[in-house]
Amino acid sequence: MQTTTTLASEAIMDNSLEHERVTETRAVAALFGFLARCLEEEVDAALIDLIRGELRGPLAMAGVVFDEEFHQTPTGPLVESLAEEYTGLFVAPGCISPYASVVETGCMFNEPADRAVAAYSQAGWDYRNRLSGEFPDHIGTMLGFYAKLANGEATALLAGDGERAEQLSTQREAFLLEQLAEWSPGWCRRAAAAALLPFYKRLLEMAEQALWSELEQRVDRRRLRELAELNRREPKRLDYDADFRKASGL
């Protein structure tokens, strides 16, 4: 009788832990998916309506709270102002370039982009840009991929496929540590500092916090200190000869 009771208690505990893991993993997927959508392209009216309505409560629970001006400004003018901010922050010359290749090497579509494509391929995803000028190591794309891995992990757990869940968990951790950890939190901090509108400032602050939260669960304090130092680095800048730029028209 005692053995039966013990086994039943262990089963309940296992189910409780699995339920907790599913809940946490789905929350990570939702948060990173939201951040990815807001960073990968401009915010449109439909997304603003979601943030003001259906998503307002869940976002507040995740710590993402926007000021009253965001909620009260008419949608049309808000879309326009956010589009201008997005362009100035992430697209226009002199922006906070959202590409890992630029941050790490000073050039577009360099080795970090190849690493991102390899990770997508390993997980069974093909990267396809919709427009010219889109590259696979965009911060929004990479956060979106992290969200998809987390969502897949949660789905596998719910289906009782523990092996698949662990495979996705391993891929998610590797992607975080090998491709995001050394630059993306620092990029979020620099972009937040450059933001003029509270919406993007809060969004980028939340992205940095979310990344550090994920890292804190996976590395020890010594590695966290090393990562903090790496993320203080300024983006790589190449030395171009001024005469060459003038002659070439660059």
Side-chain angles (χ1 to χ4, degrees), residues 51-210:
I51 296 171
R52 288 169 160 174
E54 183 180 339
L55 293 180
R56 187 168 184 175
L59 286 173
M61 291 179 63
V64 186
V65 179
F66 300 109
D67 62 7
E68 281 305 309
E69 183 178 356
F70 171 82
H71 290 286
Q72 299 302 325
T73 302
T75 301
L78 183 58
V79 169
E80 291 181 8
S81 64
L82 290 176
E84 291 177 3
E85 175 86 323
Y86 185 92
T87 300
L89 275 175
F90 310 130
V91 180
C95 71
I96 311 298
S97 178
Y99 296 101
S101 291
V102 175
V103 174
E104 295 185 354
T105 72
C107 296
M108 296 288 289
F109 204 40
N110 217 318
E111 191 270 339
D114 295 334
R115 285 193 282 114
V117 170
Y120 303 155
S121 178
Q122 184 182 17
W125 295 86
D126 289 329
Y127 175 80
R128 297 179 182 177
N129 59 332
R130 294 173 301 170
L131 302 169
S132 63
E134 294 178 338
F135 300 104
D137 56 340
H138 189 289
I139 182 70
T141 304
M142 297 178 81
L143 295 183
F145 176 67
Y146 190 78
K148 286 186 178 296
L149 291 177
N151 187 63
E153 180 183 340
T155 300
L157 287 170
L158 287 171
D161 191 346
E163 182 178 350
R164 177 60 176 161
E166 290 308 313
Q167 179 187 26
L168 289 165
S169 177
T170 299
Q171 289 177 336
R172 182 159 68 98
E173 180 172 315
F175 190 76
L176 175 70
L177 299 181
E178 296 171 8
Q179 305 208 42
L180 289 169
E182 296 188 1
W183 72 277
S184 60
W187 178 89
C188 291
R189 186 188 68 254
R190 287 190 298 275
L196 299 177
L197 298 181
F199 175 83
Y200 278 109
K201 185 175 291 292
R202 184 69 193 102
L203 184 81
L204 290 157
E205 289 171 348
M206 189 63 222
E208 182 186 4
Q209 292 170 18

Side-chain angles (χ1 to χ4, degrees), residues 4 7 13 15 37 44 77 92 94 160 172 189 211 214 224:
T4 302
L7 291 174
M13 183 176 295
N15 288 335
R37 166 60 186 86
D44 57 19
R172 182 159 68 98
R189 186 188 68 254
L211 286 162
E214 289 294 286
L224 277 175

